[in-house]
Amino acid sequence: DSKCTSDKDEAYQKKGGEPNPDDYEKLYFKAEFTAMDKENRGKLTTSEFVKLMMFLGYGERWKVDELLKAVNPEGDGYITIDEFYSAMKRPGVTEGTSRLRDIFFKFDDNKDGRATKEQILQGFADMGIEVDDEIKEKINKLDTNNDGKVAYQDFVQSQLLTKGVLK
């Protein structure tokens, strides 16, 4: 698990100035990929890829299967991070999978892939979601290194677990 944390921390370090939109988009894509790759293999099985894309809202199974064939024509059973980036850059894919990204993006004021717990709670309240003790507790649990911030990767992984996509 320490490998995941160090990769994550490295991914969130900004290199001065305002981030390029492609940089934070790629950061978010990497977080989604890594959230699904619970075993830290650096690749997803095609089954995990399909589950992730459907969870992200890309569309029906046939649509995800077509995307899979397009980015993994050799059909080796795995999707690498580069193949995932390639999939996300295909027409309509980023837009079709942006629901969670759009929500978290509202909290992530400096676009580094992390948001303070306060930003998230305020964002939920702004969306009309009643912020009760249960939600506060869930947000606290997402702050895995106790720095007062929640990483997008942890946010996605919690949603994958809640929806039963990950066990």
Coordinates of all heavy atoms in Angstrom, one line a residue, residues 50-141:
V50 N -13.8 -2.8 -17.9 CA -15.2 -2.8 -18.3 C -16.0 -2.3 -17.1 O -16.9 -1.4 -17.2 CB -15.7 -4.1 -18.8 CG1 -17.2 -4.2 -18.9 CG2 -15.1 -4.5 -20.2
K51 N -15.8 -2.8 -15.9 CA -16.5 -2.4 -14.7 C -16.3 -0.9 -14.4 O -17.2 -0.2 -14.1 CB -16.1 -3.3 -13.5 CG -16.6 -4.7 -13.5 CD -16.1 -5.4 -12.3 CE -16.5 -6.9 -12.3 NZ -15.9 -7.6 -11.2
L52 N -15.0 -0.5 -14.5 CA -14.7 0.9 -14.2 C -15.4 1.8 -15.2 O -16.0 2.8 -14.8 CB -13.2 1.1 -14.3 CG -12.7 2.6 -14.1 CD1 -13.1 3.1 -12.7 CD2 -11.2 2.6 -14.2
M53 N -15.3 1.5 -16.5 CA -15.9 2.4 -17.5 C -17.4 2.4 -17.3 O -18.1 3.5 -17.5 CB -15.5 1.9 -18.9 CG -14.1 2.1 -19.2 SD -13.4 3.7 -18.9 CE -14.1 4.6 -20.2
M54 N -18.1 1.3 -17.0 CA -19.5 1.3 -16.8 C -19.9 2.1 -15.6 O -20.8 2.9 -15.5 CB -20.0 -0.1 -16.8 CG -19.9 -0.7 -18.2 SD -20.7 -2.4 -18.3 CE -22.4 -2.0 -18.3
F55 N -19.1 1.9 -14.5 CA -19.3 2.7 -13.3 C -19.2 4.2 -13.5 O -19.9 5.0 -13.0 CB -18.3 2.2 -12.2 CG -18.2 3.1 -11.0 CD1 -19.2 3.1 -10.1 CD2 -17.2 4.1 -10.9 CE1 -19.2 3.9 -9.0 CE2 -17.2 4.9 -9.8 CZ -18.2 4.9 -8.8
L56 N -18.2 4.6 -14.3 CA -18.0 6.0 -14.6 C -19.1 6.6 -15.5 O -19.1 7.8 -15.7 CB -16.6 6.2 -15.3 CG -15.4 6.0 -14.3 CD1 -14.1 6.1 -15.1 CD2 -15.4 7.0 -13.2
G57 N -19.9 5.7 -16.1 CA -21.0 6.1 -16.9 C -20.8 6.2 -18.3 O -21.6 6.9 -19.1
Y58 N -19.8 5.5 -18.9 CA -19.5 5.6 -20.3 C -20.7 5.0 -21.1 O -20.9 5.6 -22.2 CB -18.2 4.8 -20.6 CG -17.9 5.0 -22.1 CD1 -17.8 6.2 -22.7 CD2 -17.8 3.9 -22.9 CE1 -17.5 6.4 -24.0 CE2 -17.5 4.0 -24.3 CZ -17.4 5.3 -24.8 OH -17.1 5.4 -26.2
G59 N -21.4 4.0 -20.7 CA -22.5 3.6 -21.5 C -22.7 2.1 -21.4 O -22.2 1.5 -20.4
E60 N -23.5 1.6 -22.3 CA -23.8 0.2 -22.2 C -22.6 -0.7 -22.5 O -21.6 -0.3 -23.1 CB -24.9 -0.1 -23.2 CG -26.2 0.7 -22.9 CD -27.3 0.5 -23.9 OE1 -27.3 -0.6 -24.6 OE2 -28.1 1.4 -24.1
R61 N -22.8 -2.0 -22.2 CA -21.7 -2.9 -22.3 C -21.1 -3.0 -23.7 O -19.8 -3.0 -23.9 CB -22.1 -4.3 -21.8 CG -21.2 -5.5 -21.9 CD -20.0 -5.2 -21.0 NE -18.9 -6.1 -21.4 CZ -18.5 -7.2 -20.6 NH1 -19.1 -7.4 -19.5 NH2 -17.5 -7.9 -21.0
W62 N -21.9 -3.0 -24.7 CA -21.4 -3.1 -26.1 C -20.5 -1.9 -26.4 O -19.5 -2.1 -27.1 CB -22.5 -3.3 -27.1 CG -23.4 -2.0 -27.2 CD1 -24.6 -1.8 -26.5 CD2 -23.2 -0.9 -28.0 NE1 -25.1 -0.6 -26.9 CE2 -24.2 0.0 -27.8 CE3 -22.2 -0.5 -28.9 CZ2 -24.3 1.3 -28.4 CZ3 -22.3 0.7 -29.6 CH2 -23.3 1.6 -29.3
K63 N -20.9 -0.8 -25.9 CA -20.1 0.5 -26.1 C -18.7 0.4 -25.5 O -17.7 0.7 -26.1 CB -20.9 1.7 -25.6 CG -20.4 3.0 -26.1 CD -21.4 4.1 -25.7 CE -20.8 5.4 -26.0 NZ -21.7 6.5 -25.5
V64 N -18.7 -0.2 -24.3 CA -17.4 -0.3 -23.5 C -16.6 -1.4 -24.2 O -15.4 -1.3 -24.4 CB -17.7 -0.7 -22.0 CG1 -16.4 -1.0 -21.3 CG2 -18.5 0.4 -21.4
D65 N -17.2 -2.5 -24.7 CA -16.5 -3.5 -25.4 C -15.8 -3.0 -26.7 O -14.7 -3.4 -27.0 CB -17.4 -4.7 -25.8 CG -17.8 -5.6 -24.6 OD1 -17.0 -5.5 -23.5 OD2 -18.8 -6.3 -24.6
E66 N -16.5 -2.1 -27.4 CA -16.0 -1.5 -28.6 C -14.7 -0.6 -28.3 O -13.7 -0.7 -29.0 CB -17.0 -0.6 -29.3 CG -18.0 -1.4 -30.2 CD -18.9 -0.5 -31.0 OE1 -18.8 0.7 -30.9 OE2 -19.8 -1.1 -31.7
L67 N -14.9 0.1 -27.2 CA -13.8 0.9 -26.7 C -12.6 0.1 -26.3 O -11.4 0.3 -26.7 CB -14.2 1.8 -25.5 CG -13.1 2.7 -24.9 CD1 -12.7 3.7 -25.8 CD2 -13.7 3.3 -23.6
L68 N -12.8 -1.0 -25.6 CA -11.8 -2.0 -25.2 C -11.0 -2.5 -26.4 O -9.8 -2.5 -26.5 CB -12.4 -3.1 -24.4 CG -11.5 -4.2 -23.9 CD1 -10.4 -3.7 -23.0 CD2 -12.3 -5.3 -23.2
K69 N -11.8 -2.9 -27.5 CA -11.1 -3.4 -28.7 C -10.3 -2.4 -29.4 O -9.2 -2.6 -29.9 CB -12.2 -3.9 -29.7 CG -12.8 -5.3 -29.3 CD -13.8 -5.7 -30.3 CE -14.6 -6.8 -29.8 NZ -16.0 -6.7 -30.1
A70 N -10.7 -1.1 -29.3 CA -10.0 0.0 -30.0 C -8.7 0.3 -29.3 O -7.7 0.6 -30.0 CB -10.9 1.2 -30.0
V71 N -8.7 0.2 -28.0 CA -7.4 0.6 -27.2 C -6.6 -0.6 -26.9 O -5.4 -0.4 -26.5 CB -7.7 1.4 -26.0 CG1 -8.4 2.7 -26.3 CG2 -8.5 0.6 -25.0
N72 N -7.1 -1.8 -27.0 CA -6.3 -3.0 -26.7 C -6.6 -4.1 -27.8 O -7.1 -5.1 -27.6 CB -6.7 -3.6 -25.3 CG -5.9 -4.7 -24.9 OD1 -6.2 -5.9 -25.0 ND2 -4.7 -4.4 -24.3
P73 N -6.1 -3.7 -29.1 CA -6.4 -4.6 -30.2 C -5.8 -6.0 -30.1 O -6.3 -7.0 -30.6 CB -5.9 -3.8 -31.4 CG -4.9 -2.8 -30.9 CD -5.4 -2.5 -29.5
E74 N -4.6 -6.1 -29.3 CA -4.0 -7.4 -29.2 C -4.8 -8.3 -28.3 O -4.5 -9.5 -28.2 CB -2.5 -7.2 -28.7 CG -2.3 -6.7 -27.3 CD -2.4 -5.2 -27.2 OE1 -2.7 -4.5 -28.2 OE2 -2.1 -4.6 -26.1
G75 N -5.7 -7.7 -27.5 CA -6.5 -8.6 -26.6 C -5.8 -9.4 -25.6 O -6.1 -10.6 -25.4
D76 N -4.8 -8.8 -25.0 CA -3.9 -9.6 -24.1 C -4.5 -9.8 -22.7 O -3.9 -10.4 -21.8 CB -2.5 -8.9 -23.9 CG -2.6 -7.5 -23.4 OD1 -3.7 -7.0 -23.0 OD2 -1.5 -6.9 -23.3
G77 N -5.7 -9.2 -22.5 CA -6.4 -9.4 -21.2 C -6.1 -8.3 -20.2 O -6.7 -8.3 -19.1
Y78 N -5.3 -7.4 -20.5 CA -5.0 -6.3 -19.6 C -5.0 -4.9 -20.3 O -4.8 -4.8 -21.5 CB -3.6 -6.5 -19.0 CG -3.5 -7.7 -18.1 CD1 -3.0 -8.9 -18.5 CD2 -3.9 -7.6 -16.7 CE1 -2.9 -10.0 -17.7 CE2 -3.9 -8.6 -15.9 CZ -3.4 -9.8 -16.4 OH -3.3 -10.9 -15.5
I79 N -5.3 -3.9 -19.5 CA -5.2 -2.5 -19.9 C -4.2 -1.8 -19.1 O -4.3 -1.8 -17.8 CB -6.6 -1.8 -19.7 CG1 -7.7 -2.5 -20.6 CG2 -6.5 -0.3 -20.0 CD1 -7.5 -2.3 -22.1
T80 N -3.2 -1.2 -19.8 CA -2.2 -0.5 -19.1 C -2.6 1.0 -18.8 O -3.6 1.4 -19.4 CB -0.9 -0.4 -19.9 OG1 -1.1 0.3 -21.1 CG2 -0.3 -1.8 -20.2
I81 N -1.9 1.7 -18.0 CA -2.3 3.1 -17.8 C -2.2 3.9 -19.1 O -3.1 4.7 -19.4 CB -1.4 3.8 -16.7 CG1 -1.9 5.2 -16.4 CG2 0.1 3.8 -17.1 CD1 -3.2 5.3 -15.6
D82 N -1.3 3.6 -20.0 CA -1.2 4.3 -21.3 C -2.4 4.0 -22.2 O -2.9 4.8 -22.9 CB 0.1 4.0 -22.0 CG 1.3 4.6 -21.3 OD1 1.1 5.7 -20.6 OD2 2.4 4.1 -21.5
E83 N -2.8 2.7 -22.1 CA -4.0 2.3 -22.9 C -5.3 3.0 -22.3 O -6.2 3.4 -23.0 CB -4.2 0.8 -22.9 CG -3.2 0.1 -23.8 CD -3.2 -1.4 -23.6 OE1 -3.4 -1.9 -22.5 OE2 -2.9 -2.1 -24.6
F84 N -5.3 3.2 -21.0 CA -6.4 3.9 -20.3 C -6.4 5.3 -20.8 O -7.5 5.9 -21.1 CB -6.3 3.7 -18.8 CG -7.5 4.3 -18.1 CD1 -8.7 3.6 -18.1 CD2 -7.4 5.4 -17.3 CE1 -9.8 4.1 -17.4 CE2 -8.5 5.9 -16.7 CZ -9.7 5.3 -16.7
Y85 N -5.3 6.0 -20.7 CA -5.2 7.4 -21.2 C -5.7 7.5 -22.7 O -6.4 8.4 -23.0 CB -3.8 7.9 -21.1 CG -3.2 8.2 -19.8 CD1 -1.8 8.0 -19.5 CD2 -4.0 8.5 -18.7 CE1 -1.3 8.2 -18.3 CE2 -3.5 8.7 -17.4 CZ -2.1 8.6 -17.2 OH -1.6 8.8 -16.0
S86 N -5.3 6.5 -23.5 CA -5.7 6.5 -24.9 C -7.2 6.3 -25.0 O -7.8 7.0 -25.8 CB -5.0 5.3 -25.6 OG -5.5 5.2 -26.9
A87 N -7.8 5.5 -24.2 CA -9.2 5.3 -24.1 C -9.9 6.6 -23.8 O -10.9 7.0 -24.4 CB -9.6 4.2 -23.2
M88 N -9.4 7.3 -22.8 CA -10.1 8.5 -22.3 C -10.0 9.6 -23.3 O -10.8 10.5 -23.2 CB -9.5 8.9 -20.9 CG -9.6 7.9 -19.8 SD -11.4 7.3 -19.6 CE -12.0 8.7 -18.7
K89 N -9.0 9.6 -24.2 CA -8.8 10.7 -25.1 C -9.6 10.4 -26.4 O -9.7 11.3 -27.3 CB -7.3 10.8 -25.5 CG -6.5 11.4 -24.4 CD -7.0 12.8 -24.1 CE -6.2 13.5 -23.1 NZ -6.8 14.8 -22.8
R90 N -10.3 9.3 -26.5 CA -11.1 9.0 -27.7 C -12.4 9.9 -27.6 O -12.8 10.3 -26.6 CB -11.5 7.6 -27.8 CG -10.2 6.7 -28.0 CD -10.6 5.2 -28.1 NE -11.2 4.9 -29.4 CZ -10.6 4.8 -30.5 NH1 -9.3 4.9 -30.6 NH2 -11.2 4.5 -31.6
P91 N -12.9 10.3 -28.8 CA -14.1 11.2 -28.9 C -15.2 10.7 -28.0 O -15.6 9.6 -28.1 CB -14.5 11.2 -30.3 CG -13.2 10.8 -31.1 CD -12.5 9.9 -30.1
G92 N -15.7 11.6 -27.1 CA -16.9 11.3 -26.3 C -16.6 10.6 -25.0 O -17.5 10.5 -24.1
V93 N -15.4 10.0 -24.8 CA -15.2 9.2 -23.6 C -15.0 10.0 -22.4 O -15.7 9.8 -21.4 CB -14.0 8.2 -23.8 CG1 -13.7 7.5 -22.6 CG2 -14.2 7.3 -25.0
T94 N -14.2 11.1 -22.5 CA -14.0 11.9 -21.3 C -15.3 12.5 -20.8 O -15.7 12.5 -19.7 CB -13.0 13.0 -21.6 OG1 -11.7 12.4 -21.9 CG2 -12.8 14.0 -20.4
E95 N -16.1 13.0 -21.8 CA -17.4 13.6 -21.5 C -18.4 12.6 -20.9 O -19.1 12.9 -20.0 CB -18.0 14.3 -22.7 CG -17.2 15.4 -23.3 CD -16.0 14.9 -24.2 OE1 -15.9 13.7 -24.5 OE2 -15.1 15.7 -24.5
G96 N -18.3 11.4 -21.5 CA -19.2 10.3 -21.0 C -18.9 9.7 -19.7 O -19.7 9.0 -19.1
T97 N -17.7 10.0 -19.2 CA -17.3 9.4 -17.9 C -17.0 10.5 -16.8 O -16.3 10.2 -15.9 CB -16.0 8.6 -18.1 OG1 -15.0 9.4 -18.6 CG2 -16.2 7.4 -19.0
S98 N -17.6 11.7 -17.0 CA -17.1 12.8 -16.2 C -17.9 13.1 -14.9 O -17.6 14.0 -14.2 CB -17.1 14.1 -17.0 OG -18.4 14.4 -17.5
R99 N -19.0 12.3 -14.7 CA -19.8 12.6 -13.5 C -19.1 12.8 -12.2 O -19.2 13.8 -11.6 CB -20.9 11.5 -13.4 CG -21.9 11.6 -12.3 CD -22.8 10.4 -12.3 NE -22.2 9.2 -12.2 CZ -21.8 8.5 -11.1 NH1 -22.0 9.1 -10.0 NH2 -21.2 7.4 -11.2
L100 N -18.3 11.8 -11.8 CA -17.5 11.9 -10.5 C -16.5 13.0 -10.6 O -16.3 13.8 -9.7 CB -16.9 10.6 -10.2 CG -17.7 9.6 -9.4 CD1 -16.8 8.4 -9.1 CD2 -18.3 10.1 -8.2
R101 N -15.8 13.1 -11.8 CA -14.8 14.1 -12.0 C -15.3 15.5 -11.8 O -14.8 16.3 -11.2 CB -14.2 13.9 -13.4 CG -12.7 13.7 -13.5 CD -12.3 13.4 -14.9 NE -12.5 12.0 -15.2 CZ -13.2 11.6 -16.3 NH1 -13.8 12.4 -17.1 NH2 -13.4 10.3 -16.5
D102 N -16.5 15.7 -12.4 CA -17.2 17.0 -12.3 C -17.5 17.4 -10.9 O -17.4 18.5 -10.5 CB -18.4 17.1 -13.2 CG -18.1 17.1 -14.7 OD1 -16.9 17.3 -15.1 OD2 -19.1 16.8 -15.5
I103 N -18.0 16.4 -10.1 CA -18.4 16.7 -8.7 C -17.1 17.0 -7.9 O -17.1 18.1 -7.3 CB -19.1 15.4 -8.1 CG1 -20.4 15.2 -8.7 CG2 -19.1 15.6 -6.6 CD1 -21.1 13.9 -8.3
F104 N -16.1 16.2 -8.0 CA -14.9 16.4 -7.2 C -14.2 17.7 -7.7 O -13.6 18.4 -6.9 CB -13.9 15.2 -7.3 CG -12.9 15.2 -6.2 CD1 -13.2 14.7 -5.0 CD2 -11.6 15.8 -6.4 CE1 -12.3 14.7 -4.0 CE2 -10.7 15.8 -5.4 CZ -11.0 15.3 -4.2
F105 N -14.2 18.0 -9.0 CA -13.6 19.2 -9.5 C -14.1 20.5 -8.8 O -13.4 21.4 -8.6 CB -13.9 19.2 -11.0 CG -12.9 20.2 -11.8 CD1 -11.7 19.8 -12.1 CD2 -13.4 21.4 -12.2 CE1 -10.8 20.6 -12.8 CE2 -12.5 22.2 -12.9 CZ -11.3 21.8 -13.2
K106 N -15.4 20.4 -8.4 CA -16.0 21.6 -7.8 C -15.3 21.8 -6.4 O -15.3 23.0 -5.9 CB -17.5 21.4 -7.6 CG -18.2 21.5 -8.9 CD -19.7 21.2 -8.7 CE -20.4 21.3 -10.0 NZ -21.5 20.4 -10.1
F107 N -14.8 20.8 -5.8 CA -14.2 20.9 -4.4 C -12.7 21.2 -4.6 O -12.1 21.8 -3.6 CB -14.3 19.5 -3.7 CG -15.6 18.9 -3.7 CD1 -15.8 17.5 -3.7 CD2 -16.8 19.6 -3.6 CE1 -17.0 16.9 -3.7 CE2 -18.1 19.0 -3.6 CZ -18.1 17.6 -3.6
D108 N -12.1 20.8 -5.6 CA -10.6 20.8 -5.8 C -10.3 22.2 -6.4 O -10.0 22.3 -7.6 CB -10.3 19.7 -6.8 CG -8.8 19.6 -7.0 OD1 -8.0 20.3 -6.4 OD2 -8.4 18.8 -7.9
D109 N -10.1 23.2 -5.5 CA -9.9 24.5 -6.0 C -8.6 24.8 -6.7 O -8.5 25.7 -7.5 CB -10.2 25.5 -4.8 CG -9.2 25.4 -3.7 OD1 -8.4 24.5 -3.7 OD2 -9.2 26.3 -2.8
N110 N -7.6 24.1 -6.3 CA -6.3 24.3 -7.0 C -6.0 23.3 -8.0 O -4.9 23.2 -8.6 CB -5.1 24.5 -6.0 CG -4.8 23.3 -5.3 OD1 -5.6 22.3 -5.4 ND2 -3.8 23.3 -4.5
K111 N -6.9 22.4 -8.3 CA -6.8 21.3 -9.3 C -5.5 20.4 -9.2 O -4.9 20.1 -10.2 CB -6.8 22.0 -10.7 CG -7.9 23.0 -10.9 CD -9.3 22.4 -10.6 CE -10.4 23.4 -10.7 NZ -11.3 23.4 -9.6
D112 N -5.3 20.0 -7.9 CA -4.2 19.1 -7.7 C -4.6 17.7 -7.4 O -3.9 16.9 -7.0 CB -3.3 19.6 -6.6 CG -3.9 19.6 -5.2 OD1 -5.2 19.4 -5.1 OD2 -3.2 19.8 -4.2
G113 N -5.9 17.5 -7.6 CA -6.5 16.1 -7.3 C -6.8 15.9 -5.9 O -7.1 14.7 -5.5
R114 N -6.8 16.9 -5.0 CA -7.2 16.8 -3.6 C -8.0 18.0 -3.2 O -8.0 19.0 -3.8 CB -5.9 16.7 -2.8 CG -5.0 15.6 -3.1 CD -3.8 15.3 -2.2 NE -3.1 16.6 -1.9 CZ -2.2 16.6 -0.9 NH1 -2.0 15.6 -0.2 NH2 -1.6 17.8 -0.7
A115 N -8.9 17.7 -2.2 CA -9.7 18.8 -1.7 C -9.8 18.6 -0.2 O -9.7 17.5 0.4 CB -11.1 18.7 -2.3
T116 N -9.9 19.8 0.5 CA -10.0 19.7 2.0 C -11.3 19.1 2.3 O -12.3 19.2 1.6 CB -9.9 21.1 2.6 OG1 -11.0 21.9 2.3 CG2 -8.6 21.8 2.2
K117 N -11.4 18.5 3.5 CA -12.7 17.9 4.0 C -13.7 19.0 4.1 O -14.9 18.8 3.7 CB -12.5 17.3 5.3 CG -11.6 16.0 5.2 CD -11.5 15.3 6.5 CE -10.5 15.9 7.5 NZ -10.2 15.1 8.7
E118 N -13.3 20.2 4.5 CA -14.3 21.4 4.6 C -14.8 21.7 3.2 O -16.0 22.0 3.0 CB -13.6 22.6 5.2 CG -13.2 22.4 6.7 CD -12.0 21.6 6.9 OE1 -11.1 21.4 6.0 OE2 -11.9 21.0 8.0
Q119 N -14.0 21.7 2.2 CA -14.4 22.0 0.8 C -15.5 21.0 0.3 O -16.5 21.4 -0.3 CB -13.3 22.0 -0.2 CG -12.3 23.2 -0.1 CD -11.1 23.0 -0.9 OE1 -10.4 22.0 -0.9 NE2 -10.7 24.1 -1.6
I120 N -15.2 19.7 0.6 CA -16.1 18.7 0.2 C -17.5 18.8 1.0 O -18.5 18.8 0.3 CB -15.5 17.3 0.5 CG1 -14.3 17.1 -0.5 CG2 -16.6 16.2 0.2 CD1 -13.5 15.9 -0.2
L121 N -17.4 19.0 2.3 CA -18.7 19.2 3.0 C -19.5 20.4 2.6 O -20.7 20.3 2.4 CB -18.3 19.2 4.5 CG -17.7 17.9 5.1 CD1 -17.3 18.2 6.6 CD2 -18.7 16.8 5.1
Q122 N -18.8 21.5 2.3 CA -19.4 22.7 1.9 C -20.0 22.4 0.5 O -21.1 22.9 0.2 CB -18.5 23.9 1.9 CG -19.2 25.2 1.4 CD -20.3 25.6 2.4 OE1 -20.1 25.6 3.6 NE2 -21.5 25.8 1.8
G123 N -19.3 21.8 -0.4 CA -19.7 21.4 -1.7 C -21.0 20.6 -1.7 O -21.9 20.8 -2.4
F124 N -21.0 19.6 -0.8 CA -22.2 18.8 -0.6 C -23.4 19.6 -0.2 O -24.5 19.5 -0.8 CB -22.0 17.6 0.4 CG -21.2 16.5 -0.2 CD1 -20.7 15.6 0.7 CD2 -21.1 16.2 -1.5 CE1 -20.0 14.5 0.3 CE2 -20.4 15.1 -2.0 CZ -19.8 14.3 -1.1
A125 N -23.2 20.5 0.8 CA -24.2 21.4 1.3 C -24.7 22.3 0.1 O -25.9 22.5 0.0 CB -23.7 22.2 2.4
D126 N -23.8 22.8 -0.7 CA -24.1 23.7 -1.8 C -25.0 22.9 -2.9 O -25.8 23.5 -3.6 CB -22.9 24.3 -2.5 CG -22.2 25.3 -1.6 OD1 -22.7 25.7 -0.6 OD2 -21.0 25.6 -2.0
M127 N -24.8 21.6 -2.9 CA -25.6 20.8 -3.9 C -26.9 20.4 -3.3 O -27.7 19.6 -3.9 CB -24.8 19.5 -4.3 CG -23.6 19.8 -5.2 SD -22.8 18.3 -5.8 CE -21.7 17.9 -4.5
G128 N -27.2 20.8 -2.1 CA -28.4 20.5 -1.4 C -28.4 19.1 -0.7 O -29.5 18.6 -0.3
I129 N -27.3 18.6 -0.5 CA -27.1 17.3 0.2 C -27.0 17.6 1.7 O -26.2 18.4 2.1 CB -25.9 16.5 -0.2 CG1 -26.1 16.1 -1.7 CG2 -25.7 15.3 0.6 CD1 -24.8 15.6 -2.4
E130 N -27.9 17.0 2.5 CA -27.8 17.3 4.0 C -26.5 16.6 4.5 O -26.3 15.4 4.3 CB -29.0 16.7 4.7 CG -29.0 17.0 6.1 CD -30.3 16.4 6.8 OE1 -31.3 16.2 6.2 OE2 -30.2 16.2 8.1
V131 N -25.7 17.4 5.1 CA -24.4 16.9 5.7 C -24.7 16.5 7.1 O -24.7 17.3 8.0 CB -23.3 18.0 5.5 CG1 -22.0 17.5 6.1 CG2 -23.1 18.3 4.1
D132 N -24.8 15.2 7.3 CA -25.0 14.7 8.7 C -23.8 14.1 9.2 O -22.7 14.1 8.5 CB -26.2 13.7 8.7 CG -26.0 12.5 7.8 OD1 -24.9 12.3 7.3 OD2 -27.0 11.8 7.5
D133 N -23.8 13.5 10.4 CA -22.7 12.9 11.1 C -22.1 11.8 10.2 O -20.9 11.5 10.2 CB -23.0 12.5 12.5 CG -23.1 13.7 13.4 OD1 -22.7 14.8 13.1 OD2 -23.7 13.5 14.5
E134 N -23.0 11.0 9.6 CA -22.6 9.8 8.8 C -21.7 10.3 7.6 O -20.7 9.7 7.3 CB -23.8 9.1 8.3 CG -23.5 7.8 7.6 CD -24.7 7.1 7.0 OE1 -25.8 7.4 7.5 OE2 -24.5 6.2 6.2
I135 N -22.2 11.3 6.9 CA -21.4 11.9 5.8 C -20.1 12.4 6.3 O -19.0 12.2 5.7 CB -22.2 12.9 5.0 CG1 -23.3 12.2 4.2 CG2 -21.3 13.7 4.1 CD1 -24.2 13.1 3.4
K136 N -20.1 13.1 7.4 CA -18.8 13.7 8.0 C -17.8 12.6 8.3 O -16.7 12.7 8.0 CB -19.1 14.5 9.2 CG -19.8 15.9 8.9 CD -20.1 16.6 10.2 CE -20.9 17.9 9.9 NZ -21.3 18.5 11.1
E137 N -18.4 11.5 8.9 CA -17.5 10.3 9.2 C -16.9 9.7 7.9 O -15.7 9.4 7.9 CB -18.3 9.3 10.0 CG -17.5 8.1 10.4 CD -16.4 8.4 11.3 OE1 -16.4 9.4 12.1 OE2 -15.4 7.7 11.3
K138 N -17.7 9.6 6.9 CA -17.2 9.0 5.6 C -16.1 9.8 5.0 O -15.1 9.3 4.6 CB -18.4 8.8 4.6 CG -19.3 7.6 5.0 CD -20.4 7.5 3.9 CE -21.3 6.3 4.3 NZ -22.4 6.2 3.3
I139 N -16.3 11.2 5.1 CA -15.3 12.1 4.5 C -14.0 12.0 5.4 O -12.9 12.0 4.8 CB -15.9 13.5 4.5 CG1 -17.1 13.6 3.6 CG2 -14.8 14.5 4.0 CD1 -16.9 13.2 2.1
N140 N -14.2 11.9 6.7 CA -13.0 11.8 7.6 C -12.2 10.5 7.2 O -11.0 10.5 7.2 CB -13.4 11.8 9.0 CG -13.6 13.1 9.6 OD1 -13.0 14.1 9.1 ND2 -14.5 13.3 10.5
K141 N -12.9 9.4 6.9 CA -12.3 8.1 6.6 C -11.5 8.2 5.3 O -10.5 7.5 5.1 CB -13.3 7.0 6.5 CG -13.7 6.5 7.9 CD -14.7 5.4 7.8 CE -15.1 4.9 9.2 NZ -16.2 3.9 9.1

